[in-house]
Amino acid sequence: AATGLHRLGPLRLNAGMQDEEKNRQEVLTEMTDAVGSAFLGMTIGCARCHDHKFDEFLQADYFGLQAFFAGTVAEDVPLVAADIQAQNEQEMEAWKERQTALDKKLTDFKRACRERLVANKRTTLSTEVQAALQVPVAERTIRQWRLAVKAEFSLQVTDLEVEASFSEEDRKQHSELLGEVSRHNARKPTPVPAVMAVLDNQPTLPRTHILRRGNPGDHLREVGPSFP
């Protein structure tokens, strides 16, 4: 349980494009700096980026210490019997499947309403503009291209516009879907109690490099686990 110390640092969990090496380096930096301040009694973080002229703790010492933690993986150790944990995992998988299905129903409903609104907007455009939109992009004349660009901009709709266009039946269906999602969220299984810990059970230790100015991805020479 004491290894839970290494789970207390910040994690980059935002969606979108991820720089995995940078994310991993941030975790290793937290581990290394915590060991320095808590157990060695020194703030060693600045050695991640460069050597200090009169400091014997060098950048190589920093990454040699960090290399001890390179194989660390997060592990939640359950405090319940294996059969209870397995049942909880099955319930969670079933809940996630249902959540995916509900999300798709809601997305499909909104997409249909959006397409209908756009189609209605198209009918308000002039015949020439509607014809320009039908012409493939590569085959449009300069005038058709200009008309089409202006029309496509005007055909963009926001979520608020989509909801404002709902018919009485749409509002009823939308409300029912949101209610279904809300009720399903309330039924989400509670994870079994567990201890936050880490393991170092990887068969091969990942490589550790001294980083130029501490920048992830800017590798200098490789170092192995070593004491300062």
Side-chain angles (χ1 to χ4, degrees):
T3 64
L5 164 74
H6 295 303
R7 296 285 299 278
L8 302 180
L11 288 175
R12 190 182 298 274
L13 298 176
N14 54 300
M17 296 296 291
Q18 293 283 341
D19 184 337
E20 293 301 332
E21 183 174 356
K22 180 179 179 181
N23 292 351
R24 180 61 175 156
Q25 186 59 40
E26 287 183 359
V27 172
L28 292 173
T29 296
E30 283 287 328
M31 292 182 182
T32 311
D33 291 357
V35 167
S37 57
F39 301 116
L40 303 183
M42 295 187 294
T43 52
I44 63 176
C46 55
R48 177 172 65 94
C49 299
H50 52 78
D51 295 340
H52 280 177
K53 188 173 182 179
F54 299 108
D55 192 341
E56 294 183 7
F57 195 99
L58 304 177
Q59 196 180 20
D61 292 313
Y62 183 91
F63 285 99
L65 181 60
Q66 187 184 96
F68 281 111
F69 305 107
T72 305
V73 292
E75 179 78 8
D76 290 343
V77 183
L79 299 177
V80 297
D83 58 337
I84 297 177
Q85 183 188 3
Q87 180 182 353
N88 181 264
E89 289 173 354
Q90 290 177 358
E91 291 172 353
M92 183 62 77
E93 283 301 314
W95 183 88
K96 287 180 179 177
E97 288 181 12
R98 178 60 179 159
Q99 183 190 39
T100 300
L102 286 174
D103 287 345
K104 185 177 184 305
K105 281 178 67 176
L106 189 58
T107 300
D108 289 347
F109 169 79
K110 288 185 176 180
R111 182 187 298 114
C113 293
R114 182 180 296 275
E115 290 174 352
R116 185 183 62 206
L117 178 58
V118 171
N120 288 339
K121 278 193 168 189
R122 275 178 176 266
T123 62
T124 65
L125 301 175
S126 69
T127 304
E128 184 184 16
V129 173
Q130 291 188 48
L133 288 170
Q134 297 297 322
V135 178
V137 175
E139 300 176 14
R140 289 173 183 167
T141 64
I142 294 296
R143 177 172 174 76
Q144 288 174 331
W145 179 80
R146 287 175 176 166
L147 290 172
V149 168
K150 187 175 180 180
E152 285 164 359
F153 181 79
S154 69
L155 290 173
Q156 294 177 5
V157 293
T158 65
D159 290 341
L160 288 176
E161 286 181 285
V162 173
E163 292 185 19
S165 72
F166 283 174
S167 65
E168 197 62 38
E169 181 60 30
D170 290 334
R171 293 187 190 283
K172 180 181 177 182
Q173 189 175 347
H174 187 239
S175 178
E176 289 174 353
L177 284 171
L178 291 179
E180 215 173 338
V181 169
S182 179
R183 288 190 294 274
H184 179 68
N185 287 337
R187 292 193 290 266
K188 184 176 182 178
T190 303
V192 298
V195 172
M196 293 173 64
V198 298
L199 300 176
D200 61 348
N201 60 357
Q202 295 191 54
T204 304
L205 191 67
R207 293 181 173 183
T208 298
H209 295 84
I210 297 175
L211 302 178
R212 190 188 308 277
R213 300 189 65 80
N215 292 320
D218 196 348
H219 297 170
L220 298 175
R221 67 181 175 87
E222 184 176 345
V223 295
S226 60
F227 295 105

